[in-house]
Amino acid sequence: MSTLGTLAVIFDLDGTLVDSEPNYYEASRQTLAEHGVPDFTWAEHESYVGISTRETVEIWRARYRLGAPVDELLAVTNRRYLELARTRTPAYPQMRKFVELLAADGVPLAVASGSSPEAIDAILAGTGLDALVRTAVSADEVAHGKPAPDVFLEAARRLGADPADCVVLEDAAPGAAAAHAAGMRCIAIPYVAAQADAPGFATAALLLRGGQAEFTAQSAYSWLMEGHRRGTRDG
């Protein structure tokens, strides 16, 4: 067993483990421009951080009165995103180190994401993280995306872990809310600094307001170790 006992760690993917939001923005911008929305901005894109691509497309369809079916818009956006994701999705260096620390310690690891299964697989393979994180759950595989807890609960089930033993890493408020709803502790690393006070982040066990710039593998690992020691003493 790991020195962290029965702990399991579940990572959100986009904006948490890897810096993929620029790729999602570009895929979204191209799709919307093709359907008569020529001026989609990065600031607008930020409002969709943390929700699934399908839900994003459903909102677009209503907001911009798009005629194309949701499935068509989703397929086009996913195809464009995958083309970008395969070649230019960097893992955050400190996150990669954190994964390596946890894997070396035998901690069960999973990814739980609003992206499609194809996108998750492409990114994990492209970054080499698939060698360390072998369990992945897409919101497409469960009934409801974040902020519902479904994707995290399914990840815990696949890992054979009790939700109470799981720690989630998240960059978006809907994901932090989903972790709380799943009965899991959350390390929150806001991708959009201005959203650090969003209600979803209020339940996080550890909130790093500075985002990725404030995150280090060693400090996160030490926080987990301290929590384990405290739990052992309290037990």
Side-chain angles (χ1 to χ4, degrees), residues 21-100:
E21 289 301 336
N23 293 342
Y24 267 114
Y25 167 65
E26 183 58 21
S28 299
R29 189 192 65 75
Q30 290 178 19
T31 298
L32 286 169
E34 189 178 79
H35 288 84
V37 184
D39 50 0
F40 186 66
T41 66
W42 175 258
E44 288 173 302
H45 171 75
E46 286 185 336
S47 69
Y48 297 96
V49 170
I51 63 174
S52 73
T53 314
R54 176 174 286 278
E55 289 170 278
T56 295
V57 166
E58 288 169 351
I59 295 169
W60 289 350
R61 199 165 179 272
R63 181 171 292 171
Y64 302 118
R65 298 184 176 87
L66 304 181
V70 166
D71 285 346
E72 179 186 321
L73 292 167
L74 181 64
V76 169
T77 304
N78 277 338
R79 188 181 71 247
R80 287 196 167 110
Y81 172 73
L82 276 171
E83 289 169 0
L84 297 167
R86 286 192 179 100
T87 57
R88 58 179 204 190
T89 306
Y92 290 110
Q94 286 296 317
M95 279 291 170
R96 183 186 293 276
K97 287 182 183 176
F98 189 46
V99 169
E100 290 168 350

Side-chain angles (χ1 to χ4, degrees), residues 150-228:
D150 304 28
V151 72
F152 289 134
L153 291 172
E154 177 60 17
R157 188 191 69 78
R158 293 186 192 181
L159 290 174
D162 187 318
D165 290 331
C166 295
V167 170
V168 168
L169 280 87
E170 259 290 353
D171 73 300
H180 181 68
M184 302 176 182
R185 288 175 292 157
C186 180
I187 298 175
I189 311 112
Y191 186 84
V192 182
Q195 294 176 10
D197 289 319
F201 284 132
T203 57
L206 178 63
L207 173 61
L208 302 179
R209 289 179 167 275
Q212 290 290 340
E214 191 178 334
F215 179 87
T216 69
Q218 193 55 58
S219 63
Y221 187 82
S222 297
W223 183 83
L224 291 177
M225 284 291 291
E226 178 55 33
H228 175 62

